[in-house]
Amino acid sequence: MNGDEQLLRGRVYGHDHDDPDPGPRRDRFYVVLVGGPLDGLLLDVTDWTPDRITAGAVLSTELGRFGAGGHALYDPRPGDPTRFDWSGDSP
């Protein structure tokens, strides 16, 4: 695991790396991103509708195949509402 990957583990997607409290909050619901460039990050889906969760997530990242401006695609894992699996990268 490289330094960037280690820095991301246990953090919430979208929080700044220098946030004094980058971890999850008790009043929020998170899914774990599994695989791909954002592996191990938590994604806050508290305010998402069931349809939105079913659609998965397209998340901006500089760590994917397309670098800056790229996106990582994550889909909900069937039978496990707490995990989204990486399905690829897009520009």
Side-chain angles (χ1 to χ4, degrees), residues 10-22:
R11 296 186 180 271
V12 177
Y13 173 82
H15 285 198
D16 290 337
H17 68 278
D18 58 356
D19 186 331
D21 185 16

Side-chain angles (χ1 to χ4, degrees), residues 57-79:
V58 177
L59 305 171
S60 297
T61 182
E62 296 180 8
L63 302 175
R65 177 177 167 204
F66 297 96
H71 299 86
L73 312 175
Y74 286 87
D75 296 315
R77 183 178 289 181

Side-chain angles (χ1 to χ4, degrees), residues 2-87:
N2 70 33
D4 286 339
E5 291 170 350
Q6 221 167 12
L7 180 65
L8 294 176
R9 294 209 175 275
R11 296 186 180 271
V12 177
Y13 173 82
H15 285 198
D16 290 337
H17 68 278
D18 58 356
D19 186 331
D21 185 16
R25 293 178 172 83
R26 284 186 238 181
D27 61 336
R28 310 298 291 173
F29 180 74
Y30 301 91
V31 297
V32 178
L33 301 175
V34 180
L38 303 176
D39 184 50
L41 279 178
L42 302 173
L43 178 64
D44 185 346
V45 296
T46 304
D47 299 324
W48 291 26
T49 64
D51 287 341
R52 173 70 179 94
I53 289 173
T54 301
V58 177
L59 305 171
S60 297
T61 182
E62 296 180 8
L63 302 175
R65 177 177 167 204
F66 297 96
H71 299 86
L73 312 175
Y74 286 87
D75 296 315
R77 183 178 289 181
D80 186 349
T82 66
R83 298 189 185 281
F84 275 22
D85 293 312
W86 178 66
S87 59

